[in-house]
Amino acid sequence: MNASATMTRFAHRKVPVPHARLELNTPTGDEVKTTTCYMCACRCGIRVHLKDGGVRYIDGNPTHPVNRGVICAKGSAGIMQHYSPARLSKPLLRIGERGSREFREIEWDEALDLATQWLGDIRSRDPDQLAFFTGRDQSQALTGWWAQAFGTINYAAHGGFCSVNMAAAGMYTLGGSFWEFGEPDWELTKYLMLWGVAEDHDSNPIKLGLGKLKSRGAKIVAINPVRSGYGAIADEWVPINPGTDGLLAGAFIHELLNADRVDLEFLVRFTNAHHLVIMAPGAADDGMIARDAEGNALCAVRADSPSTARVERADAIDIAPLIVGDYALADGRRAVPAFQLFAERYLSDEFSPDAVADACGVSADTIRRLARELGDTAFDQSITIAQRWTDAWGREHAEMIGRPVAMHAMRGIAAHANGFHTCRALHLLQMILGAIDTPGSFRYQPPYPKSAPPPNRPGKTRKPNGALDAAPLGYVHTPADLLVDADGAPRRLDKAFSWEHPFAAHGMLQSVIANAHAGDPYRIDTLFLFMANMGWNSSMNTGATRAMLCDRDAATGEYRIPHIIYADAYDSETIAFADLVLPDTTYLERHDCISLLDRPISDADGAGDAIRQPVVQPDRDVRPFQDVLLDLGTRLKLPGLVNDDGTAKYPRGYAQYMVEHERAPGVGLLAGWRGMDGSASGVGAPNPDQLARYIENGCHWHEPVPAAGRYFKMANRDYLDWAKSLGFVGSTQPIVLQFYAETLQRFRLAALGHGKSQPPARDRERVARFFDPLPFWYGSVSSAVREEQGKTAHPCADSSNETSHHSSLREYPLSAITQRPMFMYHAWASQNKWLRQIATRNFLYLHPETAQANGVADEDWIWLAAPLGRIRVQAKLHAGTAPGTVWTWNAIGKHKGAWTLSANAPENVDAFLLNHLIDESLRSSDGRARYANADPVTGQAAWFDLRVRIERDASPHLDGHRIDLRSMATTSENTAP
């Protein structure tokens, strides 16, 4: 029968259509409640449709300022997260060996009594013996405060292995940062450059913003080794080699300087680029900014004669500062403007497009064209808004003039050992374009900007009541702020805020287990983890980490980490290593606070915060972790958690704490509806009806920035007055952008032998090199130090990390990185029934040219080898990958026995983790850990500095992932997971 006859035969048949009579107006449930999503970090507003008390459907809340009704696959799949079979249902006490998953169920009283006993013993003898580390919990305003009350300096959250490079670089440079504290001007920008932005972070707001840009014809450029998601819809994808973003940014600066495309007015008005820097090699103030007797920064200004100049206060108004030249100070010393030092560095041939093209993987012609496009858009297409405003010096302006070039960056630039200086380079690139908080550029989100750096320093000492004198995390300003002992050795277990990683503003969660196991700098008693899957995807060198958790002291026979308490809602890999498991609720069963003290939901035009409310009651014997933490604090009689008579201060739990707790008079976790009558915003007495008001308003609060304060927030009196009224800033003085980071120079001078606090001998060269007040690029920590010693001629000479295996580019020629897919953010999303239908396993993606060079065909099984060992993975050819780079989706591979997945689930059999191959340390020649595999400035885990090679498998068509690690300590991992 021919095709025509076949079609005729079927043409008249009636085929039943499923759901042919959909009743679209029938209510999904019998009740709808609003709350805040927890399926990623967007914190979108959602509506939860309930029927007979159960969750029936989840959609976006149209009134919510973050997502305006938009919802993604993750958000709508929250129903399956809530009903996951992997949910924990009862407190557990280990009865077998660690890793055996042998537990007995216990009651909450027994669990809390045991935890109180362990923690109480620690607090009575040495609070630092508790290491309290939390994952992506979004409750750091509570957990950090609790750690401070307990008195331990050993507290941190997930940021140290996620994006502290980006956050610290921004906070030390401009008092804000990319990601949660800033955003592009989605309404006005004409040119958006995305640096290392994957789809898992802030996805709904970015998608909404990108839609606006596409509809207006703005150009979007994605700089990323991988073209997925946002890169796929970008107007141009620039496939850069991993870790070279700072070099590319430097080349853009080089070209803009040569073309005289520099906004000098912006620089002298808002930054310290014109401040004079003392040039006195060997002196204690070499490289510091020159100041008068009152401490005011100085600059050179034009005098009556064009050939003469005078020195004046740099913050004086109606002056014309000079940004280049050599000037004499009143005491005869030499000084030059910071901008001149910057120009000398970036006009060097080392940053020319021809010099950096090969290292970046971007042609010199492309670099020149992109730099030209940035300059042309910023200066030839400037934006003017007819809006009167008053600057911080009292000058009135009739309009706002902006540079419509915006930049946004994320973890792709942060997860490298050079990420801090890379992000600093991006911020200086923005500054010379005049593209920070102007119309069309990057914009601050309230409560930012803060002073750069912010005033809060990490806690160091304990008060008589045992609490720390400040929160455990913060920003160091001088070497005296470091947490080191009299010999300069680290005091914190993770070595954050030490000479090894001075600006570790978020702590270093990834270093905790290895350091505790080694007793470096000391041993601890209890490791208390909340939602941090350190037994699997949140650890580097995962196999070794799992072995460390099970290892015993040869002398005593006891575990090297005596007690491990773990709180989570789901049966993750880390559950297997816990001695005590405290089961958490799902996000639909508890109160939460998305606070301005933590990670707010503000946008550039308004301040915002939000809550979660329990929309259903738990059907298991579980408790919200926040309630548990407050209960433990009450049992331990921690200051701030009990009244003078010893009774609980917050007996009704976290919901009561959210309303009544104050960090300062009138300043609490929530900014909306404060005051007894709910009429105040930002600052006001606690309001007993506050949560009810939030729920009435869809569980969120938003306060618009005054029209005159929308831009130039760092020096806009209208904004600063408004921000002070809400408690965001303590002063209306302008915030000076740190073009030249004098704070870093203080640490360099200490390394050169100046000041009371100096680094130990082994850290001196390292600190002197990496605490450069102007950003620079290095391929690896080791190559940068050798360059400083004069042994490496060019910054691109070596881009590999030295390890005990003496790896080299020749041995491991490929860069290996990971990304999170748009449909998964938290690792636990891959046990979600609906999201698993999108993907249940991952592949190793590589460019066809890379595959051909290594003899790999599409879907071959191959070995991916690194100094730590090798893993067997399945390859997929992907033209959207930069040649020389391989990558995979992260955290899809699971360990057998976890998440209640079947033994033959694809996540267990075919999926894999790249983490097994990533060393947690930079090992010396004898194989012992010295420094963390991290940025030497911030301690950010250098996940994306991994170098690998491809090895052929004898049976490339035989399915199955395997792990083959070289360390004898991890032989238990040398099989399929």
Side-chain angles (χ1 to χ4, degrees):
M1 184 180 295
N2 60 35
S4 177
T6 302
M7 294 300 293
T8 301
R9 177 183 174 186
F10 289 103
H12 301 290
R13 289 196 179 183
K14 292 183 178 180
V15 180
V17 179
H19 311 299
R21 296 182 179 179
L22 290 174
E23 298 180 7
L24 299 178
N25 294 322
T26 301
T28 306
D30 49 36
E31 186 179 11
V32 178
K33 293 184 179 180
T34 58
T35 188
T36 303
C37 189
Y38 195 35
M39 295 298 289
C40 82
C42 288
R43 293 146 299 175
C44 296
I46 56 174
R47 300 184 302 190
V48 182
H49 300 248
L50 306 169
K51 189 170 185 178
D52 300 327
V55 180
R56 179 68 176 168
Y57 179 67
I58 297 174
D59 65 354
N61 180 357
T63 70
H64 199 276
V66 170
N67 58 313
R68 306 186 188 282
V70 172
I71 194 165
C72 69
K74 299 185 296 294
S76 60
I79 182 173
M80 291 296 104
Q81 204 70 26
H82 173 69
Y83 288 119
S84 167
R87 291 179 304 170
L88 298 170
S89 59
K90 193 83 174 176
L92 302 174
L93 182 66
R94 179 180 58 81
I95 57 175
E97 294 292 311
R98 281 189 189 162
S100 68
R101 288 185 165 272
E102 296 179 21
F103 297 96
R104 70 174 176 88
E105 293 184 347
I106 59 175
E107 300 303 320
W108 272 102
D109 283 345
E110 181 181 356
L112 294 173
D113 285 346
L114 186 57
T116 302
Q117 177 188 328
W118 292 350
L119 298 177
D121 290 346
I122 292 170
R123 193 166 193 268
S124 64
R125 64 175 186 268
D126 181 7
D128 294 340
Q129 290 293 303
L130 168 65
F132 179 35
F133 289 82
T134 71
R136 194 62 171 95
D137 63 302
Q138 302 178 6
S139 298
Q140 290 166 222
L142 169 66
T143 55
W145 176 80
W146 190 95
Q148 179 182 353
F150 188 89
T152 181
I153 60 175
N154 290 316
Y155 163 83
H158 85 292
F161 63 67
C162 180
S163 59
V164 69
N165 268 344
M166 188 179 59
M171 298 308 290
Y172 278 90
T173 303
L174 47 88
S177 74
F178 296 122
W179 176 209
E180 291 176 307
F181 307 148
E183 65 182 38
D185 190 339
W186 299 113
E187 303 294 337
L188 296 178
T189 192
K190 299 178 182 179
Y191 196 103
L192 174 64
M193 189 169 274
L194 298 171
W195 296 78
V197 181
E199 294 76 54
D200 59 317
H201 286 83
D202 205 24
S203 60
N204 282 342
I206 288 181
K207 285 183 289 187
L208 288 167
L210 292 176
K212 293 178 181 179
L213 266 61
K214 299 292 280 188
S215 68
R216 291 194 288 105
K219 181 168 183 179
I220 303 169
V221 177
I223 299 175
N224 199 313
V226 176
R227 187 172 198 180
S228 63
Y230 306 144
I233 67 164
D235 299 282
E236 182 171 358
W237 170 53
V238 181
I240 192 171
N241 290 333
T244 64
D245 303 77
L247 196 56
L248 180 62
F252 290 160
I253 293 171
H254 177 95
E255 289 295 288
L256 290 166
L257 290 172
N258 273 319
D260 198 20
R261 290 296 216 177
V262 178
D263 192 336
L264 297 180
E265 183 177 354
F266 182 94
L267 291 177
V268 300
R269 179 170 289 184
F270 301 118
T271 84
N272 65 357
H274 60 298
H275 292 195
L276 289 174
V277 178
I278 299 167
M279 296 287 101
D285 56 0
D286 178 46
M288 298 297 285
I289 290 174
R291 286 181 165 79
D292 63 18
E294 287 75 39
N296 301 301
L298 300 173
C299 72
V301 300
R302 290 184 179 89
D304 297 334
S305 170
S307 61
T308 61
R310 66 180 186 272
V311 174
E312 291 196 6
R313 281 182 54 168
D315 62 351
I317 61 174
D318 299 326
I319 59 174
L322 297 162
I323 61 167
V324 295
D326 197 317
Y327 306 98
L329 301 174
D331 58 9
R333 290 178 301 168
R334 173 176 167 253
V336 302
F339 183 85
Q340 175 161 316
L341 300 175
F342 165 82
E344 289 172 352
R345 172 163 296 176
Y346 284 100
L347 284 173
S348 164
D349 288 342
E350 291 179 350
F351 285 103
S352 72
D354 292 313
V356 309
D358 287 344
C360 293
V362 182
S363 73
D365 287 343
T366 298
I367 295 172
R368 292 189 182 96
R369 176 178 54 78
L370 291 172
R372 187 168 57 252
E373 290 175 2
L374 289 171
D376 290 350
T377 307
F379 296 102
D380 298 338
Q381 302 180 45
S382 61
I383 292 175
T384 299
I385 297 176
Q387 172 63 58
R388 301 191 66 84
W389 66 288
T390 305
D391 66 30
W393 299 275
R395 292 173 294 193
E396 294 186 357
H397 304 265
E399 56 192 15
M400 296 176 164
I401 301 175
R403 309 294 185 192
V405 170
M407 295 187 185
H408 193 60
M410 199 46 220
R411 193 162 176 253
I413 66 165
H416 293 283
N418 61 22
F420 176 84
H421 280 288
T422 290
C423 196
R424 279 262 301 148
L426 291 184
H427 290 321
L428 267 61
L429 172 60
Q430 292 172 286
M431 286 185 198
I432 67 171
L433 290 168
I436 291 180
D437 214 61
T438 71
S441 71
F442 164 88
R443 302 181 67 193
Y444 294 108
Q445 296 174 339
Y448 298 90
K450 307 281 190 181
S451 60
N456 51 305
R457 294 164 168 84
K460 295 181 64 175
T461 60
R462 280 186 279 272
K463 301 176 183 179
N465 63 8
L468 284 179
D469 58 346
L473 301 180
Y475 300 92
V476 300
H477 290 227
T478 71
D481 297 329
L482 294 176
L483 272 75
V484 293
D485 63 20
D487 297 321
R491 283 182 53 204
R492 281 179 56 114
L493 177 65
D494 59 1
K495 303 186 181 180
F497 307 120
S498 74
W499 287 107
E500 295 187 18
H501 305 285
F503 288 5
H506 292 174
M508 298 172 60
L509 176 57
Q510 75 277 6
S511 296
V512 169
I513 292 172
N515 291 354
H517 175 266
D520 178 19
Y522 47 78
R523 301 278 284 273
I524 60 168
D525 180 277
T526 298
L527 176 61
F528 190 179
L529 297 173
F530 170 45
M531 211 183 89
N533 196 13
M534 304 308 294
W536 196 242
N537 59 276
S538 291
S539 287
M540 294 172 153
N541 198 357
T542 305
T545 300
R546 293 169 66 85
M548 292 174 196
L549 292 170
C550 295
D551 197 23
R552 295 180 180 270
D553 188 311
T556 65
E558 300 297 323
Y559 287 115
R560 286 184 175 269
I561 303 175
H563 300 119
I564 298 176
I565 303 173
Y566 188 51
D568 205 328
Y570 303 98
D571 188 4
S572 73
E573 284 86 357
T574 303
I575 293 293
F577 304 99
D579 303 307
L580 178 64
V581 178
L582 305 177
D584 193 13
T585 57
T586 74
Y587 70 101
L588 299 180
E589 298 169 324
R590 66 166 180 260
H591 284 97
D592 265 339
C593 184
I594 298 89
S595 173
L596 283 158
L597 301 180
D598 190 355
R599 314 183 99 86
I601 60 163
S602 302
D603 56 65
D605 288 324
D609 60 17
I611 68 167
R612 293 188 183 94
Q613 64 161 325
V615 298
V616 291
Q617 294 301 310
D619 57 0
R620 310 162 317 287
D621 192 11
V622 298
R623 297 183 183 180
F625 177 69
Q626 293 89 336
D627 286 0
V628 170
L629 203 60
L630 293 173
D631 190 344
L632 285 172
T634 301
R635 292 166 181 253
L636 292 165
K637 307 297 183 185
L638 298 185
L641 282 154
V642 292
N643 299 309
D644 292 341
D645 61 1
T647 58
K649 192 173 183 68
Y650 305 107
R652 298 191 302 279
Y654 189 55
Q656 181 184 5
Y657 172 89
M658 287 164 58
V659 172
E660 297 181 6
H661 176 74
E662 293 181 285
R663 292 298 168 86
V667 178
L669 269 72
L670 293 170
W673 297 286
R674 299 197 66 80
M676 290 302 294
D677 62 355
S679 62
S681 292
V683 180
N687 170 16
D689 294 325
Q690 189 179 40
L691 293 187
R693 298 296 297 275
Y694 269 85
I695 293 170
E696 290 169 5
N697 198 55
C699 291
H700 62 86
W701 166 85
H702 189 267
E703 181 86 3
V705 175
R710 291 181 63 210
Y711 295 100
F712 308 103
K713 295 185 181 75
M714 61 280 192
N716 182 320
R717 178 173 291 180
D718 301 278
Y719 172 79
L720 292 169
D721 285 344
W722 176 81
K724 185 177 181 182
S725 74
L726 292 171
F728 299 162
V729 296
S731 168
T732 57
Q733 291 298 306
I735 296 165
V736 179
L737 307 186
Q738 300 297 295
F739 187 89
Y740 182 88
E742 187 182 29
T743 303
L744 276 77
Q745 183 66 10
R746 294 191 181 103
F747 288 81
R748 170 178 274 183
L749 288 171
L752 296 175
H754 300 290
K756 294 181 180 179
S757 180
Q758 298 177 16
R762 82 163 195 162
D763 295 323
R764 288 181 183 267
E765 289 180 354
R766 177 180 165 102
V767 174
R769 181 57 178 140
F770 294 108
F771 279 76
D772 193 315
L774 289 170
F776 69 105
W777 185 85
Y778 51 93
S780 72
V781 172
S782 57
S783 69
V785 173
R786 291 200 307 277
E787 179 193 348
E788 181 70 3
Q789 296 168 339
K791 297 179 182 178
T792 300
H794 192 278
C796 307
D798 180 9
S799 60
S800 63
N801 280 326
E802 289 188 338
T803 70
S804 58
H805 305 288
H806 302 288
S807 63
S808 68
L809 288 175
R810 189 178 305 108
E811 290 179 271
Y812 301 101
L814 303 174
S815 291
I817 62 173
T818 62
Q819 289 199 163
R820 282 275 174 87
M822 191 176 286
F823 58 84
M824 190 185 78
Y825 179 72
H826 295 292
W828 40 250
S830 61
Q831 45 107 13
N832 185 294
K833 286 184 178 181
W834 287 358
L835 299 179
R836 288 186 70 213
Q837 295 180 53
I838 301 173
T840 56
R841 52 83 51 89
N842 53 330
F843 296 87
L844 184 76
Y845 295 100
L846 65 166
H847 193 276
E849 292 177 5
T850 307
Q852 183 178 17
N854 287 273
V856 177
D858 193 36
E859 299 194 357
D860 274 0
W861 283 87
I862 59 174
W863 288 93
L864 193 66
L868 285 181
R870 60 181 192 163
I871 55 177
R872 190 173 187 268
V873 300
Q874 192 171 19
K876 285 288 291 183
L877 273 56
H878 181 227
T881 299
T885 297
V886 297
W887 71 279
T888 190
W889 298 123
N890 186 38
I892 291 180
K894 302 299 181 187
H895 194 279
K896 287 183 178 178
W899 306 102
T900 66
L901 295 171
S902 64
N904 62 350
E907 292 90 342
N908 293 333
V909 177
D910 296 324
F912 64 93
L913 278 183
L914 206 59
N915 305 45
H916 292 290
L917 302 181
I918 306 174
D919 207 337
E920 81 280 356
S921 67
L922 302 176
R923 299 181 189 278
S924 59
S925 57
D926 62 1
R928 290 180 299 178
R930 291 194 59 180
Y931 295 107
N933 180 14
D935 186 317
V937 180
T938 66
Q940 161 76 53
W943 298 97
F944 293 174
D945 285 351
L946 177 64
R947 305 291 304 189
V948 297
R949 67 167 178 259
I950 291 172
E951 296 176 355
R952 298 285 294 145
D953 185 84
S955 303
H957 304 300
L958 181 65
D959 291 344
H961 165 52
R962 292 201 300 277
I963 306 170
D964 180 13
L965 302 182
R966 292 178 180 151
S967 171
M968 293 303 293
T970 60
T971 53
S972 64
E973 296 293 328
N974 293 352
T975 60

